[in-house]
Amino acid sequence: MCGICGEIRFDNQPPDLQFIQQANYLQQPRGPDAEGVWVQNNVAFGHRRLKIMDLSEASQQPLYDPSLGLSVVFNGAIYNHPELREELKQMGYRFYSEGDTEVVLKAYHAWGRDCVKHFNGMFAIAVWERESGKTLLFRDRLGIKPLYYHRDTHRMKFASFLPALAKGLEHTPGISPSALNKYLNFHSVVPSPETLFDGIHKVPPGTVIEVHADGSVQQESYWDLTFETLPDEEKLTAQEWQDRLLQELFAAVRRRNVAAVDVGVLLSGGVDSSLLVGLLAEVNPNGFQTFSIGFEAVGGEAGDEFQYSDIIAEHFGTRHHKIRIAEDRMLEALPHAIRAMSEPMVSHDCVAFYLLSQEVSKHCRVVQSGQGADEVFGGYHWYPPLAGSQDPFASYRQAFFDRSHDEYLETVQPAWASHDSAGEFVRQHFLSPGAKDPIDKALRLDTRVMLVDDPVKRVDNMTMASSLEARVPFLDHQLVELAARIPAPMKVRDEGKWILKEASRKVIPAAVIDRPKGYFPVPALKYLRGNVLNWVKEALTTQAARDRGLFNQEYVDRLLLSPDMHITPLRGSKLWQLGLLELWLQQHDF
C-alpha cells in the first residue's frame, strides 16, 4: 500500500520535479517507510512506500528494469503474486525481490495491458514503456485504490490523493456544477470520471488509460459485471449457493492474509466483519488481533456495538481491542479526518475510521474489513421496495437520494442551478443492459459506483491517514461476480443479505446474525449540537464561504434553526453535508 504520483510531458520539456516532491510530501502518510523518484526523458514517477509484502529494499519504487525497458509505480496489493511469480518463472523471467511490484512489472512485459486480467487484488498502476514512450494507467476492477489525473495540452499529472494533485497545478480548477449536483443529491457520491473540480478526473474502476508521447489518449474498460445466472447454475438450490458463497469468501479471506506482517480485522459486531473473523480463524488458527470502536451516546442513541463484537472476540479467542472515544477527542480529530479526505465524504463514520485507524496502527499494519457486503449481497433498506417495481429508478431515488431536484434548486445559489445531473446519471445506469431485475439494477449501480466513491474511498482515506492498509474480501472480484449471478430474491429476502446470513450460520454465533441491523454509530454527527454545530455554522458563514457563493443563505438559515429536523433518507444531516463541503474546501485552502 503506497502513494503514487507522476507527470508525463507532451511538449519536450522536462517534467516538474517540484510537483513530484510536493506530492510525495503530501502523500507521506500513505507510505512512511521510504520515498522514491524516477525520471527519464519526458516522464517522472514518484512513490511513497508502506512495507507490507516485502520488507527488503529490493521492492523499492519506482522500479525500473533497463533490460525490459519498463518503469512502474504501483499502489495496492496483488494477492496472487506468489502464483503469478511461479507462472512467470516458467516463462523464463528471473526475480530479485519477494514483493508484488516486480511481479506487476514482469507481468506487464509478458502480457501487456492484459496483465491486469491476471491480477487478484487492489491496485493503481502506472507503467512507462521506453521503446514506445507511452504510459499506461490502470485501476482495479472495483476502484479500491484511487487514481486522479489532470491533462492539458502540455502534460498529464496523476496522484493517489486529489489535493496532492490539485496543489501541483498552476491554478486550482473551479467547482463543477454537475459534480456539485451529484454531491448534494447522490449522498456525496461524485462518480468517475468526475471529481468536484472541473479538469481533475478519476480513472474509472476496471479501466486502462493509454497516454502516448504526443499527448493522445485511449481509454478502455477491461472488466464488467453482469447480473445473469449461468445456464449450469439455474437449478442450484439455496444451500448450494450458500456453499459456493462460503467457498469463494474463504478463498478471498485466505488470499488477503498474504503479507510479511500480521493481518488483523476491524470488528464492528455486524455479520460481515464477524464472518471475516470466523473465516480468518480457520486460515490463522494461532490467533490474530481484532479492533472495535465506540463513541458516547447522544439523545439516547447508542454510540457502540461492543455487546456483539465481544461475542465474536470471545467465541474465536482473538486478541481483542475495544477503543472508546470521548466526544472531545472526536471533535479534536474531526478537522484532521476532513483533511485526510481526498474528496468530501459526508458519512458519519469517517471520523470513526480515522480514530480507529490511529489506534490500530499502533498494533498492526494490515487489517481486513467488511466493506462491500451490503452493496454486493443486498443488505440495505432500499433494495426490497424495488422488487417488482414498474419504475425502478423512481423507487431507488425516493429511498436513496438526499433531496429532490426542486430542493436542490433551493439549496444552491442561482449560478449553480444545474440540470438534474445526478438523476440523469442514475436513470441512464438503470437503463443500460446487463441487469434485468430492478433489484439487480440497483445492486449494479451501488457496486460499480456508490460503493467506490463512498464506503471504499472512506476506508482507504481514513486508514491510509495512519499508514494502515485495509483489505476488503467482500470486494474480491471473483466473489463479486458470483454474487451478481445469485438470484436477487435470495439476496434481499428477510430484510436483506439473506443468502449471506444463512451461509454465515455455519461459521459464527446466531446471536450476531439475528440481531437488528446496525450502522457505524457516531451520534454527534447525526444530531449536530454543541461544538460541532458551532463549527459548521462558522464554516458556512466565513468570508471564504460567502465569496464562493455555493449555498442559498435562506436555505442554510432554515437548516441552522432546526438541524435535527432535516435528515436525509439515509439518516444523515443535510446541514452536515453542506458544512462538510465548506470545511473540506477550507481545510485544503481551495
Side-chain angles (χ1 to χ4, degrees), residues 49 52-56 58-60 63 65 74 77-108 110-111 115 118-120 258-260:
R49 183 182 178 198
I52 298 294
M53 292 293 195
D54 180 5
L55 305 185
S56 75
S59 288
Q60 178 69 1
L63 180 60
D65 188 325
F74 158 56
I78 307 300
Y79 305 121
N80 63 335
H81 76 90
E83 296 89 340
L84 292 176
R85 178 189 305 274
E86 292 307 311
E87 185 176 351
L88 289 163
K89 282 182 177 179
Q90 294 298 316
M91 297 169 64
Y93 289 93
R94 297 176 63 191
F95 287 84
Y96 305 94
S97 72
E98 297 301 320
D100 49 358
T101 303
E102 191 179 3
V103 171
V104 168
L105 185 143
K106 289 172 180 175
Y108 179 82
W111 298 306
C115 66
H118 296 255
F119 297 159
N120 186 300
V258 175

Side-chain angles (χ1 to χ4, degrees), residues 57-79:
E57 295 306 305
S59 288
Q60 178 69 1
Q61 295 189 52
L63 180 60
Y64 176 59
D65 188 325
S67 65
L68 301 181
L70 296 174
S71 182
V72 66
V73 66
F74 158 56
N75 168 31
I78 307 300
Y79 305 121

Side-chain angles (χ1 to χ4, degrees), residues 175 180 411-417 540 542-553 556 581-582 585:
I175 291 175
L180 180 64
T411 305
V412 298
Q413 292 196 21
W416 302 99
L540 289 169
T542 60
Q543 186 62 48
R546 287 195 292 269
D547 291 345
R548 209 178 330 269
L550 295 179
F551 305 125
N552 182 344
Q553 191 59 48
V556 173
L581 176 54
E582 266 299 337
L585 290 166

